[in-house]
């Protein structure tokens, strides 16, 4: 059983996880792609970045035109930084810090992810 | 502008620390770019025109005092006094006071509604006035007095302001200094076709109206009613400071300077449009910038730097959609040389070159309608370069097989001035690369400032940079992105030879990193072109639209476009589309591609919608893919009384053959039943038109952002030959084009152009014919409807869900009513 567990300490990441939300099974997510998770009234984009052996989560809302679409974006890297490109107009965001890499949009919120027993958990502070 | 250039050149000198530089400007803002003044109409953004921001002056130790006019010079005390009675002493004084528009002393010119075109304030006043006019009168008219370079620019500007433009010129031709009568006539036709009215040989006697202008009177009951007038009748140097302190002046104004830019007082210099050099005022920036350079050098003791003897007055009109340029001696008496003239009235083309009697040197010329060769002709003129044996080839192109008569930009002498605004030589551009100050075009522009003036030299600079890099052995490559160092064509061959079939394999074996939104779709497209796998195979590397087999819309919903080959559809099928649209409450529209688009489907609805359509016999229309879209048709000989052949049948055959064919960009086709061309076939990547004795096949056209008519590939061919040529043509394009390059651009870049394409496709000059046909046949046979595939596999259907952990749908999607249908809530 492969286990991945990590925190990131960038500014946009909520560090104090008080809830580990059990989202779905690993197999429910496309390999090297993303899908959307509903948590309370939040929409969260979750990516299985298998090439890096890591999982990432961020808000599903693209700050460009405020559409709930980031989970349908394509992932990749820019000089090693993992990123997602919005499917609408290809604005790209770091999956680590949430920073907009090809413009000056506000950073998006990212969340920690852990995998236990083939289940994907997303960490929320509330 | 020239004053600013002086500052720029000044601060670049090392000895600048020894000097204190104080700049007075009468206008309220720092120096701005008058050459691009007309852009203010669009942007209304004055700071965008600034040559440098205010803090630039500060940062470089230049004291800038704006809104302060100098009113007096005391040459004995070496003092200047400003309008606010402040005095400053100087060691050297540089006058760069420019000019004012000349307003002829015609009765009534003081009336309201009469403007000049020189400063940002002039433009602001005009805009305000035009706004007021439009409130009172829905169709106001404006006249421009003067049909020179500037007058034409002003004419276009008033048109853009929404006024009916009239240009009134005293001479019998437009741009009298630059054009001959014939070229002026062609330009006149062109401008008239754009809606600009031209009145030649008109002398204005009087401006009519009470307080406000109401018209122009040309005498003998000849009146033009207008609500506004812009006077653009030449310039007069602002030489009042020279007059008041007794500097030597020209008879018709201007402060006299020598080749060191010095006036009759050795401590005072004059540069720009106020300076009278060789008895002439030069109303262009390039000579002004050279004057600034000379003055800086002279003041700093480099007395060997002096003004050139010959001032180049070549110009290119910068009106969008109107190509006019002249260089050297545009027209001249036959005793000085020979003229070679080419004219095509129907195409609005005029080209003239003037050649010395011995046929060895180019003396000047005029280009109207097609100015692509302006830069190189201008360089040949400036550098006295040798002409080809048949000088007419310079404007007609070499006879026979393709190839340019001009040779390469690298043949220019090192001293050739490429960017005349910033006086950058070929040597400076090449050296910046050779000496590693720059590694690419961006860097060259940054360190030489080439192209930053009028921008006219851009194509040459690009060529020079590319050629120099090539010579240095640094390949100029259109590599795909940071993950793949290859061009698309190279990657295509590599993947094909190695038989690579997944993205991971591809990037691990010939790339680096993890890929991105640029290279993943390119690799996906190459796989599709090699194996015709559908987009379902590796959905996550497909462009977003391909991944979900639908176009994403403004609110994150999707559109559904079933294929309707050739635009032919039975009433029964129409009813199925209607029923599906109604059931799912979709916005329905006939597209520009002769089919029907259903908009506003949510992700989770797509499989259900497509199931119903597929059950009724529809297939994916690939409206989302970089692939074959539609083959449009006209009714043709089946119904039309003019039809020469069955265009619908052939269009359907072609669409069914190439459906699902993925390519570097989208491909569209058209088939028309006769040359009336109702299917707009020549606006497509391939177009077939029925003629006496067969079909004419045209290729490489498109509509879109840069429309291009397709060009003739083969004439009077039968159906089978047409298919064969199309197979070869399309496959060759798919193999060799860059990502997202449509056929028209591809043909432009193809060495040898259409002639070469004919050789490859028709004469099989590369011996690839069979292979290309075989590959195409393979792709055609491998076709599957990807929507059918997607709904039949549970695993593949999984991706069409908004949430992985909930059956709920996205409640953020809001529609608002639109006529009798709906649309997404506006952003
Ligand atoms: C629906 C339609 C407009 C309509 O309501 O009629 C349309 C809609 C779009 N066009 Fe188009 N084009 C449509 C006919 C055309 C035509 C007319 C034609 O095909 O005869 C043209 C000009 C002809 C041409 O392509 O040469 C056209 C030139 C473009 C271009 C510019 C291409 C170019 O080379 O400059 C784009 C942008 C692109 O592809 O990069 C574009 C892109 C688009 C996109 C895909 C933009 C996007 O990515 O979202 C639009 C998608 C709408 C959707 O969600 O379904 N569309 N588009 C037409 C669909 C035709 C069809 O049945 O498939
Ligand atoms: C609409 C338009 C389009 C043009 N297009 C082109 C083109 O395509 N190509 C080209 O080569 N040229 C073009 N020109 C011409 C070009 O702009 C001029 O040649 C150039 O601006 C001349 O520079 P200058 O410094 O001599 O004068 P200016 O740029 O006019 O600068 C002189 C400055 O000095 C100030 N001044 C005057 N007297 C005093 C005083 N006593 N005290 C303090 N300040 C004073 C003035 O207010 C002015 O700001 C165009 C001009 C216009 C108006
Ligand atoms: S023309 Fe522009 S706005 Fe209209 S459909 Fe095409 S891409 Fe969209
Ligand atoms: S909505 Fe995401 S890039 Fe525009």
């Amino acid at each position: 059983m492969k286990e991945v567990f990590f925190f990131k300490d960038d500014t946009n990441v909520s560090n104090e996880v008080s809830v580990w939300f059990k989202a779905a099974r690993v197999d429910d997510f496309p390999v090297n792609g993303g899908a959307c998770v509903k948590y309370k009234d939040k929409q969260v984009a979750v990516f299985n970045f298998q090439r890096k052996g890591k999982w990432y989560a961020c808000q599903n809302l693209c700050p460009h035109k405020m559409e709930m679409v980031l989970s349908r974006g394509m992932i990749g890297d820019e000089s090693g930084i993992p990123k997602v490109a919005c499917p609408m107009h290809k604005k790209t965001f770091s999956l680590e810090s949430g920073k907009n890499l090809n413009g000056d949009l506000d950073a998006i919120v990212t969340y920690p992810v852990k995998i236990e027993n083939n289940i994907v958990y997303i960490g929320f502070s509330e | 502008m020239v004053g600013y250039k002086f500052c720029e050149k000044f601060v670049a000198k090392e000895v600048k620390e020894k000097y204190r530089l104080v700049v007075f400007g009468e206008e309220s803002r720092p120096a701005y770019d008058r050459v691009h003044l007309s852009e203010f109409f669009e942007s209304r953004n004055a700071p965008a025109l600034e040559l440098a921001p205010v803090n630039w002056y500060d940062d470089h130790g230049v004291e800038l005092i704006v809104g302060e006019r100098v009113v007096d010079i005391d040459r004995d005390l070496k003092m200047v006094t400003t309008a606010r009675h402040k005095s400053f002493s100087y060691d050297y004084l540089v006058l760069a006071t420019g000019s004012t528009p000349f307003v002829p002393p015609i009765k009534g010119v003081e009336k309201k509604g009469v403007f000049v075109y020189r400063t940002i304030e002039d433009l602001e006043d005009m805009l305000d006035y035009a706004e007021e006019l439009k409130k009172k009168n829905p169709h106001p008219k404006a006249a421009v007095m003067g049909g020179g370079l500037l007058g034409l620019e002003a004419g276009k500007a008033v048109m853009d302001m929404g006024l009916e433009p009239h240009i009134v010129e005293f001479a019998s031709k437009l741009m009298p200094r630059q054009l001959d009568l014939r070229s002026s006539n062609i330009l006149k036709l062109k401008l008239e076709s754009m809606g600009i009215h031209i009145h030649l040989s008109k002398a204005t006697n009087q401006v009519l109206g009470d307080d406000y202008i109401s018209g122009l009177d040309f005498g003998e009951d000849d009146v033009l009613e207008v609500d506004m007038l812009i006077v653009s009748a030449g310039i007069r140097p602002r030489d009042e400071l020279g007059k008041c302190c007794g500097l030597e002046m020209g008879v018709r104004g201007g402060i006299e300077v020598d080749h060191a830019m010095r006036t009759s007082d050795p401590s005072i210099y004059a540069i720009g449009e106020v300076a009278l050099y060789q008895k002439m005022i030069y109303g262009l920036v390039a000579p002004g910038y050279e004057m600034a350079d000379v003055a800086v050098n002279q003041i700093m003791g480099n007395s060997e730097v002096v003004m050139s003897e010959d001032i180049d007055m070549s110009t290119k009109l910068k009106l969008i959609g109107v190509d006019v340029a002249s260089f050297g001696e545009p027209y001249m008496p036959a005793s000085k040389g020979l003229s070679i003239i080419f004219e095509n009235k129907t195409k609005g083309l005029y080209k003239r070159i003037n050649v010395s009697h011995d046929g060895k040197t180019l003396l000047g010329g005029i280009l109207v309608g097609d100015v692509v060769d302006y830069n190189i002709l201008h360089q040949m003129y400036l550098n006295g370069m040798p002409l080809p044996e048949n000088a007419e080839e310079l404007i007609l192109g070499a006879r026979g097989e393709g190839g340019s008569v001009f040779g390469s930009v690298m043949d220019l002498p090192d001293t050739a001035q490429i960017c005349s605004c910033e006086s950058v030589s070929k040597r400076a551009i090449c050296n910046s690369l050779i000496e590693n100050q720059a590694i690419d075009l961006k860097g060259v522009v940054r360190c030489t400032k080439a192209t930053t003036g009028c921008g006219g030299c851009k194509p040459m600079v690009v060529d020079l940079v590319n050629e120099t890099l090539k010579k240095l052995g640094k390949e100029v490559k259109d590599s795909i992105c940071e993950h793949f160092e290859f061009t698309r064509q190279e990657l295509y061959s590599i993947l094909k030879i190695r038989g690579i079939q997944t993205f991971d394999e591809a990037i691990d074996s010939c790339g680096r990193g993890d890929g991105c939104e640029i290279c993943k779709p390119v690799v996906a497209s190459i796989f599709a072109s090699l194996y015709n796998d559908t987009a379902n195979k590796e959905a996550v590397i497909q462009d977003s639209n391909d991944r979900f087999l639908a176009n994403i819309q403004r609110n994150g919903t999707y559109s559904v476009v079933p294929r309707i080959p050739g635009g032919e559809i039975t009433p029964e099928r129409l009813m199925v589309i209607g029923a599906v649209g109604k059931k799912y409450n979709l916005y329905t529209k006939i597209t520009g591609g002769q089919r029907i688009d259903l908009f506003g489907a949510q992700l989770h609805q797509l499989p259900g919608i497509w199931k119903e359509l597929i059950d009724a016999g529809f297939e994916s229309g690939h409206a989302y893919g970089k692939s074959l879209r539609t083959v449009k048709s006209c009714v043709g000989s089946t119904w039309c009384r003019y039809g020469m052949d069955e265009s619908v049948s052939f269009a359907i055959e072609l669409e069914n053959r190439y459906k699902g064919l993925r390519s570097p960009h989208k491909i569209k086709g058209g088939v028309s039943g006769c040359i009336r061309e109702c299917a707009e076939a020549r606006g497509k990547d391939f177009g077939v038109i029925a003629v006496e004795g067969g079909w004419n096949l045209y290729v490489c056209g498109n509509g879109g952002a840069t429309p291009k008519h397709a060009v003739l590939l083969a004439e009077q061919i039968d159906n089978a030959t047409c298919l064969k040529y199309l197979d070869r043509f399309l496959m060759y394009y798919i193999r060799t084009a860059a990502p997202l390059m449509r056929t028209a651009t591809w043909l432009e870049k193809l060495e040898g152009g259409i002639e070469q394409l004919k050789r490859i496709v028709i004469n099989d000059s590369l011996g690839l014919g069979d292979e290309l046909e075989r590959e195409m046949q393979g792709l055609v046979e491998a076709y599957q409807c990807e929507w059918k595939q997607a709904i039949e596999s549970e695993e593949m259907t999984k991706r069409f869900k908004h949430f992985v952990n909930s059956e709920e749908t996205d409640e953020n999607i809001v529609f608002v009513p639109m006529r009798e249908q709906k649309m997404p809530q506006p952003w």
Side-chain angles (χ1 to χ4, degrees):
Chain A
M1 166 86 31
K2 196 165 128 198
E3 245 186 37
V4 192
F5 185 100
F6 55 92
F7 280 109
K8 291 154 282 164
D9 53 3
D10 309 84
T11 42
N12 258 293
V13 181
S14 33
N15 274 327
E16 301 112 54
V17 172
S18 57
V19 190
W20 279 107
F21 175 65
K22 183 174 169 182
R25 287 178 310 127
V26 163
D27 300 344
D28 291 334
F29 295 86
V31 172
N32 287 317
C36 182
V37 167
K38 189 173 168 76
Y39 169 65
K40 295 190 184 161
D41 55 357
K42 272 197 175 69
Q43 296 197 14
V44 180
V46 179
F47 301 96
N48 174 3
F49 207 140
Q50 202 183 61
R51 280 191 65 83
K52 284 197 185 296
K54 288 188 182 173
W55 287 72
Y56 298 95
C58 66
Q59 68 187 56
N60 195 31
L61 184 80
C62 176
H64 178 223
K65 292 288 180 186
M66 301 299 167
E67 296 296 346
M68 286 291 186
V69 290
L70 287 180
S71 59
R72 292 177 228 160
M74 192 178 288
I75 56 170
D77 79 299
E78 180 174 321
S79 320
I81 302 172
K83 64 171 182 178
V84 58
C86 175
M88 284 275 187
H89 312 98
K90 301 251 164 85
K91 300 283 178 195
T92 54
F93 302 90
S94 160
L95 287 170
E96 276 166 357
S97 66
K99 197 168 162 301
N100 178 201
L101 300 172
N102 60 353
D104 40 22
L105 293 170
D106 289 342
I108 55 172
V109 179
T110 61
Y111 303 93
V113 184
K114 68 173 180 180
I115 310 294
E116 272 172 16
N117 299 325
N118 237 353
I119 303 289
V120 180
Y121 294 85
I122 308 167
F124 296 100
S125 55
E126 44 185 313
Chain B
M1 291 188 77
V2 174
Y4 165 75
K5 186 54 60 173
F6 180 90
C7 298
E8 196 185 283
K9 302 257 176 196
F10 193 91
V11 301
K13 297 276 179 198
E14 274 165 23
V15 288
K16 67 164 185 223
E17 311 301 345
K18 296 199 198 140
Y19 298 85
R20 178 176 166 210
L21 178 58
V22 186
V23 181
F24 298 93
E26 166 200 48
E27 292 187 66
S28 59
R29 50 187 114 240
Y32 54 89
D33 185 357
R34 268 183 233 294
V35 174
H36 295 101
L37 191 61
S38 298
E39 286 169 16
F40 182 77
F41 282 114
E42 244 173 65
S43 68
R44 308 276 164 106
N45 182 355
L49 285 177
E50 275 172 15
L51 293 168
V54 187
N55 57 2
W56 179 88
Y57 297 87
D58 230 17
D59 295 347
H60 290 83
V62 178
E63 294 165 50
L64 174 68
I65 307 178
V66 291
E68 187 92 56
R69 186 160 58 92
V70 174
V71 291
D72 194 27
I73 302 172
D74 186 327
R75 286 167 49 196
D76 296 331
L77 290 176
K78 290 197 165 184
M79 295 269 279
V80 294
T81 310
T82 71
R84 295 196 209 139
H85 308 295
K86 289 194 203 144
S87 294
F88 297 82
S89 68
Y90 66 83
D91 296 308
Y92 294 101
L93 178 64
V94 180
L95 299 172
T97 48
S99 64
T100 42
F102 169 61
V103 180
I106 296 168
K107 202 172 145 208
V109 281
E110 70 294 341
K111 291 192 199 309
K112 293 195 185 122
V114 180
F115 298 90
V116 293
Y117 199 77
R118 176 88 193 172
T119 64
I120 291 183
E121 280 71 25
D122 293 336
L123 267 56
E124 283 171 341
D125 293 347
M126 269 180 228
L127 283 167
D128 291 347
Y129 192 81
E131 272 323 299
E132 284 305 309
L133 275 182
K134 280 190 272 182
K135 280 185 206 151
K136 286 183 227 144
N137 173 352
H139 303 294
K141 294 184 189 173
V144 176
M145 187 186 292
L149 271 173
L150 196 58
L152 297 183
E153 213 182 301
K156 175 74 176 7
V158 290
M159 183 162 99
D160 294 342
M161 274 191 261
L163 277 61
E164 184 183 298
H166 291 260
I167 294 187
V168 178
E169 167 59 49
F170 175 73
S172 57
K173 55 184 184 177
L174 290 165
M175 296 174 55
R177 286 220 258 161
Q178 289 89 7
L179 299 186
D180 56 12
L181 195 57
R182 288 197 202 176
S183 48
S184 158
N185 286 340
I186 294 214
L187 175 61
K188 178 166 178 267
L189 286 176
K190 173 79 202 178
L191 293 171
E192 285 170 342
S193 75
M194 292 167 62
I196 302 179
H197 303 256
I198 311 284
H199 310 265
L200 298 175
S201 309
K202 297 269 184 209
T204 310
N205 283 340
Q206 193 183 338
V207 175
L208 303 172
D210 299 331
D211 258 7
Y212 292 85
I213 174 173
S214 65
L216 298 178
D217 173 24
F218 306 126
E220 298 187 12
D221 289 338
D222 188 0
V223 168
L224 177 67
E225 285 180 16
V226 290
D227 311 282
M228 181 168 161
L229 173 67
I230 298 173
V231 180
S232 173
I235 52 171
R236 287 289 175 269
R238 287 197 59 181
D239 53 10
E240 59 271 13
L241 286 173
K243 252 182 238 158
C244 78
C245 69
L247 293 176
E248 218 160 279
M249 309 283 289
V251 251
R252 283 188 294 145
I255 301 174
E256 292 241 26
V257 292
D258 60 11
H259 62 302
M261 288 298 114
R262 216 169 317 153
T263 65
S264 55
D265 177 334
S267 316
I268 302 183
Y269 292 77
I271 57 177
E273 289 183 340
V274 71
L276 191 70
Y277 174 64
Q278 295 179 338
K279 308 268 172 240
M280 277 271 287
I281 295 286
Y282 301 90
L284 293 174
V285 285
Y289 283 3
E290 191 183 343
M291 292 176 180
D293 188 49
V294 171
V296 168
N297 276 294
Q298 288 287 339
I299 291 174
M300 295 193 165
N302 306 328
S303 56
E304 72 288 354
V305 183
V306 294
M307 193 68 189
S308 316
E309 289 287 320
D310 300 314
I311 305 290
D312 177 30
M313 295 292 282
S314 308
T315 35
K316 211 163 139 187
L317 183 66
K318 45 182 204 301
L319 285 193
I320 301 157
V322 189
D323 289 329
V324 180
S326 77
F327 59 96
E329 296 224 33
Y331 49 91
M332 57 183 193
S335 59
K336 287 181 79 179
L338 306 161
S339 297
I340 302 171
I341 295 179
F342 168 77
E343 180 171 357
N344 182 336
K345 279 215 178 89
T346 45
K347 288 196 172 153
L349 277 180
Y350 180 84
K351 299 182 182 188
R352 167 179 183 152
I353 49 171
N354 305 318
V355 179
S356 60
H357 281 297
D358 61 7
K360 292 223 167 92
T361 36
L362 188 58
L363 303 174
I366 299 173
L367 300 172
V368 178
D370 172 8
V371 294
V372 288
D373 295 331
Y374 168 73
N375 280 328
I376 194 89
L377 285 170
H378 185 200
Q379 287 295 336
M380 294 183 105
Y381 154 73
L382 286 176
N383 299 295
M385 289 165 68
L387 303 186
E389 204 169 316
N390 301 311
E392 67 270 22
E393 290 179 358
L394 289 176
I395 49 175
L396 299 177
R399 270 183 225 120
E401 296 296 284
S404 162
V405 289
F406 294 116
S408 150
V409 276
M410 295 306 266
D411 299 341
L412 292 171
D414 273 357
T415 49
Q417 197 172 79
I418 305 295
C419 171
S420 52
C421 296
E422 296 288 338
S423 49
V424 187
S425 66
K426 175 188 157 199
R427 183 187 289 128
I429 290 172
C430 299
N431 280 358
S432 67
L433 292 164
I434 296 167
E435 289 159 10
N436 272 321
Q437 291 153 312
I439 51 163
D440 55 9
L441 179 66
K442 255 212 271 185
V444 171
V445 170
R446 199 179 329 108
C447 66
T448 63
K449 302 204 93 187
T451 74
T452 57
C454 68
C457 58
K458 182 94 184 263
M460 275 190 136
V461 176
V462 171
D463 283 353
L464 272 177
V465 169
N466 286 345
E467 291 299 316
T468 311
L469 286 174
K470 241 187 240 165
K471 249 174 112 179
L472 292 173
K474 294 180 194 164
E475 230 182 308
V476 223
K477 244 169 72 168
D478 302 321
S479 52
I480 296 168
C481 67
E482 65 171 77
H483 304 103
F484 288 94
E485 277 282 298
F486 303 105
T487 64
R488 180 182 173 281
Q489 185 177 355
E490 288 166 344
L491 192 59
Y492 181 100
S493 310
I494 297 171
L495 299 182
K496 180 175 173 184
I497 292 164
R498 300 199 190 157
I500 291 175
Q501 306 223 11
T502 67
F503 182 77
D504 276 351
E505 256 181 280
I507 195 159
D508 289 338
S509 68
C510 41
R512 67 169 96 90
D514 300 317
C516 67
E517 73 282 3
I518 297 167
C519 59
K520 285 181 176 181
V522 171
V523 172
S525 159
I526 294 176
F527 287 155
S529 303
L530 287 176
Y531 318 115
N532 213 0
D533 290 331
T534 66
N536 293 315
K537 176 149 174 254
E538 216 180 332
V540 290
I541 63 164
Q542 308 291 336
D543 231 329
S544 172
N545 284 347
D546 288 339
R547 176 169 168 199
F548 297 104
L549 308 176
N551 281 308
I552 193 164
Q553 304 300 318
R554 216 148 54 63
N555 61 350
T557 61
Y558 288 88
S559 69
V560 172
V561 188
R563 186 167 296 289
I564 301 180
E568 185 186 82
I569 187 164
T570 60
E572 288 73 21
R573 289 222 176 144
L574 259 183
M575 275 150 65
V576 172
I577 293 187
V580 169
K582 191 164 172 201
K583 174 167 169 193
Y584 290 88
N585 184 19
L586 304 172
Y587 170 91
T588 309
K589 180 180 182 297
I590 309 283
T591 71
Q594 284 187 344
R595 47 191 187 171
I596 298 169
D597 202 339
L598 304 161
F599 294 86
Q602 297 194 31
L603 191 59
H604 67 273
Q605 294 179 314
L606 287 173
I609 294 172
W610 274 103
K611 174 146 197 338
E612 292 190 33
L613 290 170
I614 287 166
D615 287 346
F618 285 104
E619 291 181 315
S620 168
H622 298 92
Y624 42 82
K626 299 299 174 219
S627 55
L628 180 86
R629 293 288 171 87
T630 62
V631 179
K632 279 167 80 163
S633 76
C634 69
V635 279
S637 60
T638 17
W639 290 93
C640 175
R641 62 199 161 123
Y642 293 118
M644 315 271 301
D645 209 327
E646 282 194 44
S647 42
V648 186
S649 307
F650 201 28
I652 294 174
E653 184 180 347
L654 291 176
E655 184 158 343
N656 282 332
R657 179 167 183 80
Y658 301 121
K659 68 188 172 190
L661 179 68
R662 284 199 148 67
S663 44
H665 205 311
K666 58 194 179 193
I667 309 174
K668 299 182 178 185
V671 184
S672 280
C674 81
I675 45 117
R676 287 174 190 74
E677 247 283 75
C678 300
E680 299 169 304
R682 288 195 63 200
K684 303 282 175 255
D685 299 277
F686 61 87
V688 185
I689 301 175
V691 291
E692 195 66 56
W695 302 100
N696 279 2
L697 173 58
Y698 296 83
V699 292
C700 301
N702 59 237
T706 317
K708 267 254 154 67
H709 268 152
V711 286
L712 188 64
L713 183 76
E715 278 176 288
Q716 295 169 307
I717 51 177
D718 59 17
N719 295 36
T721 314
C722 191
L723 282 178
K724 173 162 126 180
Y725 289 172
L726 271 173
D727 279 2
R728 292 179 176 185
F729 156 67
L730 289 172
M731 209 57 227
Y732 189 61
Y733 160 69
I734 288 173
R735 276 192 182 191
T736 56
L740 300 182
M741 179 184 269
R742 276 190 82 170
T743 52
T745 335
W746 169 76
L747 182 62
E748 244 165 56
K749 307 255 161 174
L750 185 73
E751 221 159 292
I754 183 70
E755 293 307 321
Q756 171 67 0
L757 187 61
K758 280 184 192 168
R759 280 190 290 269
I760 297 170
V761 170
I762 301 173
N763 310 337
D764 196 10
S765 62
L766 301 181
L768 279 177
D770 285 345
E771 192 181 319
L772 295 172
E773 285 171 52
R774 232 182 308 115
E775 281 181 7
M776 180 62 84
Q777 191 56 37
L779 294 180
V780 168
E781 284 162 12
Y783 168 81
Q784 290 187 61
C785 170
E786 54 199 6
W787 258 117
K788 186 158 185 286
Q789 203 181 33
I791 53 172
E792 284 174 353
S793 147
E794 209 175 300
E795 186 55 31
M796 288 182 188
T797 318
K798 241 172 76 174
R799 78 189 104 130
F800 301 98
K801 256 183 91 180
H802 190 75
F803 294 113
V804 264
N805 61 336
S806 160
E807 291 309 314
E808 283 169 66
T809 59
D810 184 5
E811 68 213 18
N812 290 285
I813 296 176
V814 184
F815 289 102
V816 294
M818 177 59 174
R819 285 178 284 280
E820 282 159 69
Q821 306 194 55
K822 66 173 183 184
M823 63 176 267
Q825 192 174 45
W827 275 334

